[in-house]
Structure formats: structure tokens, C-alpha cells
Amino acid sequence: MERSQIIEKLFDIVCNGLDLDADEISLDADLREDFDADSLDMVDLIMDVEDEFGVEVPDEILDKLVTVKDVVDYIEENM
């Protein structure tokens, strides 16, 4: 899967999971700070990412996934 496809699908997941419009999201956006995602929101998002992309995100990695780009990079490295 190409990076642009990963980004597009991830933006959809973030939009749906956090009730945002696509134009509110950028790769540099901080999921917790910019979108007020709490720990439950993050767990839900990561579960959706795991389902969509077939990757496993260990709990210890979750805190390292700060920006949307961090999640894209993780998906690319682990697909």
C-alpha cells in the first residue's frame, strides 16, 4: 500500500473516531493536544488502525504515537 493510501485511510479513521472534518487534520497534528484525544480515544483509534491495516500496536508503543505522521510511519514500518 502506498503512503498516500495509508494517509487517506488514517485521516478517515481519525475523522470518524474523533468527529473531525478532514480539513482539520494534518500530518503534524498532535492527536492528544490538537484534537483533545484522551486515552480511551487513543485506544479506540489504535484498534481501528489495527483492524484496517492488519498491524499490531503494543501498549508500550502507544505513548510514542504522538502525531498523525507518527502513526503513518508506524503503519508503514509494520505492514
Side-chain angles (χ1 to χ4, degrees), residues 2-73:
E2 292 184 23
R3 184 174 181 87
S4 62
Q5 293 171 306
I6 293 171
I7 292 169
E8 183 178 329
K9 287 184 179 197
L10 182 59
F11 276 31
D12 287 343
I13 290 170
V14 173
C15 285
N16 292 331
L18 299 177
D19 196 29
L20 300 168
D21 293 325
D23 61 350
E24 296 177 81
I25 302 172
S26 71
L27 288 175
D28 295 328
D30 183 309
L31 292 163
R32 292 168 188 85
E33 296 293 323
D34 294 336
F35 305 138
D36 295 323
D38 61 21
S39 57
L40 184 57
D41 292 328
M42 290 300 295
V43 168
D44 287 343
L45 285 174
I46 294 306
M47 287 174 44
D48 290 343
V49 165
E50 290 175 331
D51 290 344
E52 179 67 36
F53 296 101
V55 297
E56 186 173 328
V57 182
D59 291 340
E60 61 270 13
I61 299 295
L62 192 57
D63 289 337
K64 296 177 182 176
L65 302 177
V66 176
T67 66
V68 175
K69 182 185 181 302
D70 293 339
V71 180
V72 171
D73 292 344

